[in-house]
Amino acid sequence: MEDVLTLITMIVLLLLAFHGFGKCSSDLYSRSDFPEGFVFGAGISAYQWEGAVDEDGRKPSVWDTFLHSRKMDNGDIACDGYHKYKEDVQLMAETGLHAFRFSISWSRLISNGRCSINPKGLQFYKNFIQELVKHGIEPHVTLHHYDHPQYLEVDYGGWTNRKIIKDFTAYADVCFREFGNHVKFWTTINEANIFTIGGYNDGNSPPGRCSFPGRNCTLGNSSTETYIVGHNLLLAHASVSRLYKQKYKDIQGGSVGFSLFAMNFTPSTNSKDDEIATKRANDFYLGWMLEPLIYGDYPDVMKRTIGSRLPVFSKEESEQVKGSSDFIGVIHYLTALVTNIDINPSLSGIPDFNSDMGESINILSMRSVVSPWAIEGILEYIKQSYGNPPVYILENGKTMNQDLELQQKDTPRIEYLDAYIGAVLKAVRNGSDTRGYFVWSFMDLYELLNGYKSSFGLYSVNFSDPHRKRSPKLSAHWYSGFLKGKPTFLGSQGITQLHSNFSSSR
């Protein structure tokens, strides 16, 4: 398959060059234009890819409970990556990935979240990581991708309780000890801000806690738990980071980071009020977690607005959290227009994260809007506001309808990736310390809350097939060509020609 993929890519790109399709020469770029050591990869997460929901000692995570209790699509089988990981690593190698980002299922490795290790779960991750390394692919591991064990949720309320800091640190200790000889890049928490808002403010993602009537939330307090959980996530991250530096860093030489969902906020008008509201949106979405990590405390605007509902760092905690992240993981899909609102009442009648922000945010659809300037703007904002920390873009990609007839011909995804990778290069040339870019996702997955209706994958997965057959999409050929050093000759006409050549070669 590798030879066929390479041949198609070479023919297509040569034809595009010959016919003059593509961008202006000033916009052309290739893999070699990025700094030495800049890493390109793709990613998945455990719940969305592994399947094998109750095999070999795995116990439920909060995702299992949340989805089954609401009778929604679920990841019980998903891509069946648990059984097909060798096949998938072979595809990664053929594509030319330098790195692969994935998460470890806490409830597969340590079934109840604490105490005894599940030997079969441990062996699976050892096998998977060794398979990646054998093929020259660098593992980038996320410890918590929305999916803490249900046992801890029932036992003491999960992330609402500081007890989880000790259990999370012990879980991380197992991962560092068992996998750290091969894994040098660890992300503690995935999308900490959105995990917290969705799970504890809005109640529309696990564990589904909120104060809103009609949202099927049986527990929770959106006014306080959002901020308590955010605080506990930061303290847990700091605890894990401290453990790594004290026990493993000198031996293993790795780094520990923290990831956030980053929207690009733009004022909806040129009024001063909307400009101030945009700054406040950035402080609430990014500054909420980044200011403690970089400067040791929450943004002033949050402390003024939220008051006593916002937890306070002790002097010792502030010192532990500050500087605890070796890199910042940025996850970006969306841009939004911001309008100031003088009074923004909560739907539940009590203040919550959304009403505390005091503005209207109009999120532009990621299906229709391609705004590469947005990712460039986010990287510039982090550079200017937070001292230019090392950044890895851990997720970026385009969703499209799941359609077996159309999904192979995913030309809009190529246009998207081409534009966004080019924007990252501009940001790097402008001084951003961005060190890597991961496409979401390597293959079609169970998409959290959206099931199997849409997909981000470079490879399609036939979820109607018991064997979950994988097939390369047009974007897989394009990304493979880019990773192997081919220039990006692809303007809109060029992509049309790419589509035509791909179809005729099949």
Side-chain angles (χ1 to χ4, degrees), residues 183-250:
V183 178
K184 306 305 176 190
F185 295 91
W186 300 93
T187 301
T188 52
I189 308 293
N190 179 72
E191 289 184 340
N193 48 356
I194 296 299
F195 165 67
T196 307
I197 295 165
Y200 301 87
N201 189 84
D202 299 345
N204 55 16
S205 63
R209 298 174 68 97
C210 73
S211 302
F212 295 99
R215 290 200 185 174
N216 205 15
C217 296
T218 57
L219 297 168
N221 183 336
S222 302
S223 184
T224 57
E225 284 189 358
T226 310
Y227 303 114
I228 290 168
V229 169
H231 199 72
N232 289 341
L233 290 170
L234 287 166
L235 294 176
H237 162 81
S239 174
V240 167
S241 176
R242 185 168 67 253
L243 167 74
Y244 190 81
K245 287 171 183 173
Q246 291 174 349
K247 192 173 177 181
Y248 296 101
K249 192 171 181 69
D250 288 345

Side-chain angles (χ1 to χ4, degrees), residues 1 5 40-44 79 91-92 94-100 396-400 402 406-418 421 437-445 447 454-461 469-483 502:
M1 181 177 176
L5 188 150
F40 281 96
I44 53 94
C79 304
L91 287 180
M92 295 171 208
E94 291 171 3
T95 306
L97 294 190
H98 310 146
F100 189 68
N396 177 240
K398 182 172 178 61
T399 182
M400 296 177 66
Q402 181 72 275
L406 298 177
Q407 65 184 354
Q408 309 295 329
K409 307 164 188 176
D410 59 341
T411 56
R413 181 171 288 115
I414 297 174
E415 290 180 313
Y416 182 102
L417 294 175
D418 183 32
I421 293 172
Y437 176 94
F438 290 77
V439 173
W440 188 265
S441 51
F442 181 66
M443 64 179 60
D444 294 345
L445 305 169
E447 281 303 326
S454 63
S455 65
F456 286 83
L458 298 172
Y459 286 80
S460 67
V461 176
K469 182 182 178 182
R470 283 84 156 119
S471 304
K473 302 180 188 178
L474 205 58
S475 56
H477 295 291
W478 180 87
Y479 195 48
S480 180
F482 168 72
L483 294 176
F502 173 69

